[in-house]
């Protein structure tokens, strides 16, 4: 299993996400078609809740049944190759770093207009009026949060439940990304999707927060950095609107020695949020630092998985 993970990460590093025919694109279209078919025409909270549950089941079951069947049918080398392909398609480490770099490059050159356009592809807040610090903060938040969602949680569920586990996680996470909003449209329709994603991400998010704390950038003061990250996770993480994003971003901000959160403009309205982390405000260079933190946390995960594999062998 450890070798499969290594190869999958190397394939992702070399090729990144497929430019065409990515399964997640097809999954997104499938979820959209389900929403169009089952979203209730009348405003009824109970009907929306039931429709959301029905839609969730229809999105998951038709995919998971053949996945489980194929996982049991294939063995040997072919199963290993299938596992590598599945995990490669489920993780998005290189894509995440590339998106962050597309924000960093224009920002480092003073092209704030281009930086705003690029960060708009990472976050849901309004970006037209963001300054350099706001853009840096938003990008760091996205990198840290999506490091958990796009990489570490996928690795966790692959280790726990193999191919079916990582496929189920990716479907659940995509459903949450599309339906798991607290807006008027999705408050009830997307509630099942949001809650199941919270459950599946609970353990991976806290393992990610721990790995961020251990992967603090300043190794010469690693004890203080780690302590600060753990304190931010414990004291601030629970105050965030998401039970999993809060600990991840708080620990990451503490490890980087910067402050994140504090709110933003969404659909023309300022939405307040708690401050996460400690120290100075985020700067352009911190985008690179956040990406480095992801890389070091990845090495920590690989080392831990190698030890676990050796102990269990």
């Amino acid at each position: 299993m450890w070798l499969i993970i290594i190869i999958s990460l190397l394939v992702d590093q070399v090729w990144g996400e497929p430019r065409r025919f990515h399964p997640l694109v097809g999954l997104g279209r499938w979820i959209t078609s389900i929403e169009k078919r089952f979203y209730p025409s009348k405003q009824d909270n109970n009907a929306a809740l039931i429709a959301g549950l029905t839609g969730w089941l229809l999105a998951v079951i038709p995919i998971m049944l053949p996945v489980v069947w194929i996982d049991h049918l294939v063995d040997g080398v072919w199963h290993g190759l299938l596992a590598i392909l599945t995990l490669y398609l489920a993780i998005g480490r290189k894509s995440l770093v590339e998106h962050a770099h597309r924000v960093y490059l224009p920002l480092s050159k003073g092209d704030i207009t281009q930086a705003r356009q690029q960060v708009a592809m990472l976050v849901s807040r309004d970006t037209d009026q963001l300054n350099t610090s706001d853009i840096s903060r938003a990008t760091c938040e996205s990198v840290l949060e999506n490091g958990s969602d796009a990489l570490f949680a996928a690795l966790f569920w692959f280790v726990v439940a193999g191919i079916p586990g990582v496929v189920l996680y990716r479907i659940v996470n995509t459903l949450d990304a599309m339906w798991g909003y607290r807006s008027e449209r999705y408050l009830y329709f997307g509630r099942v999707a949001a809650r199941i994603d919270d459950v599946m991400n609970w353990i991976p998010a806290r393992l990610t927060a721990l790995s961020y704390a251990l992967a603090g950038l300043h190794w010469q003061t690693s004890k203080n950095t780690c302590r600060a990250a753990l304190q931010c996770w414990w004291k601030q993480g629970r105050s965030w609107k998401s039970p999993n994003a809060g600990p991840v971003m708080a620990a990451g901000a503490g490890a980087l020695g910067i402050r994140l959160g504090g709110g933003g403009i969404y659909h023309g309205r300022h939405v307040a949020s708690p401050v996460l982390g400690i120290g100075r405000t985020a700067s352009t260079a911190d985008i690179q630092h956040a990406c480095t933190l992801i890389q070091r946390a990845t090495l920590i995960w690989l080392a831990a998985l190698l030890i676990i594999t050796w102990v269990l062998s």
Side-chain angles (χ1 to χ4, degrees):
M1 179 173 291
W2 190 81
L3 184 59
I4 289 173
I5 292 173
I6 288 290
I7 295 175
S8 300
L9 289 170
L10 289 175
V11 173
D12 175 69
Q13 178 61 34
V14 173
W15 280 293
E17 289 186 340
R19 303 300 180 186
R20 300 175 61 187
F21 309 116
H22 198 299
L24 290 181
V25 176
L27 175 61
R29 292 172 180 168
W30 171 239
I31 293 172
T32 299
S33 68
I34 292 174
E35 180 180 346
K36 290 180 179 178
R37 173 65 179 83
F38 286 93
Y39 193 89
S41 57
K42 296 181 179 180
Q43 290 187 347
D44 184 322
N45 295 342
N46 290 330
L49 192 64
I50 294 172
L53 172 59
T54 303
W56 189 93
L57 292 171
L58 286 175
V60 172
I61 293 176
I63 299 175
M64 288 307 302
L65 286 178
V67 166
V68 172
W69 178 70
I70 293 172
D71 181 59
H72 282 82
L73 181 67
V74 180
D75 57 10
V77 174
W78 290 110
H79 188 273
L81 293 174
L82 180 62
I84 291 170
L85 176 62
T86 303
L87 187 57
Y88 155 63
L89 293 172
I91 59 178
R93 192 203 64 82
K94 184 177 182 180
S95 176
L96 176 62
V97 172
E98 287 178 341
H99 281 299
H101 196 60
R102 293 190 190 108
V103 180
Y104 171 79
L105 279 180
L107 201 59
S108 64
K109 297 176 182 178
D111 188 352
I112 195 167
T113 300
Q114 179 66 17
R116 286 169 177 164
Q117 294 174 356
Q118 292 297 328
V119 77
M121 300 180 184
L122 288 174
V123 299
S124 58
R125 72 193 70 179
D126 299 347
T127 61
D128 293 343
Q129 303 300 319
L130 297 183
N131 58 32
T132 298
S133 180
D134 293 333
I135 294 172
S136 301
R137 173 169 60 89
T139 306
C140 288
E141 290 173 3
S142 180
V143 168
L144 294 173
E145 181 179 1
N146 285 293
S148 179
D149 290 348
L151 176 59
F152 298 118
L155 293 178
F156 173 84
W157 282 107
F158 178 75
V159 171
V160 170
I163 294 174
V166 73
V167 171
L168 176 61
Y169 169 73
R170 186 48 62 207
I171 298 172
V172 167
N173 190 243
T174 304
L175 281 162
D176 176 67
M178 297 180 68
W179 293 353
Y181 297 99
R182 297 181 182 179
S183 62
E184 182 179 352
R185 177 175 179 83
Y186 294 109
L187 183 60
Y188 290 93
F189 182 80
R191 182 166 295 184
V192 171
R195 294 297 175 267
I196 294 177
D197 182 76
D198 287 344
V199 171
M200 290 199 72
N201 267 303
W202 199 91
I203 294 176
R206 281 144 187 84
L207 292 176
T208 301
L210 178 60
S211 65
Y212 285 171
L214 296 174
L217 290 173
H218 304 292
W219 290 107
Q220 67 271 22
T221 58
S222 58
K223 292 183 178 179
N224 293 332
T225 303
C226 183
R227 185 182 301 114
L230 294 174
Q231 288 176 345
C232 291
W233 165 13
W234 180 252
K235 295 180 179 179
Q236 301 169 343
R238 291 175 293 179
S239 65
W240 197 255
K241 59 184 178 181
S242 168
N244 296 319
V248 167
M249 289 195 295
L256 294 170
I258 60 176
R259 287 184 282 114
L260 302 176
I265 305 298
Y266 296 82
H267 307 294
R269 184 171 61 92
H270 183 268
V271 178
S273 62
V275 173
L276 303 176
I278 188 172
R280 56 182 173 78
T281 57
S283 66
T284 303
D286 291 315
I287 297 174
Q288 297 288 71
H289 295 164
C291 293
T292 301
L293 193 72
I294 296 288
Q295 294 170 354
R296 290 184 172 177
T298 302
L299 293 177
I300 290 172
W301 275 65
L302 291 177
L305 290 172
L306 178 60
I307 292 172
I308 292 172
T309 302
W310 176 73
V311 169
L312 296 179
S313 62

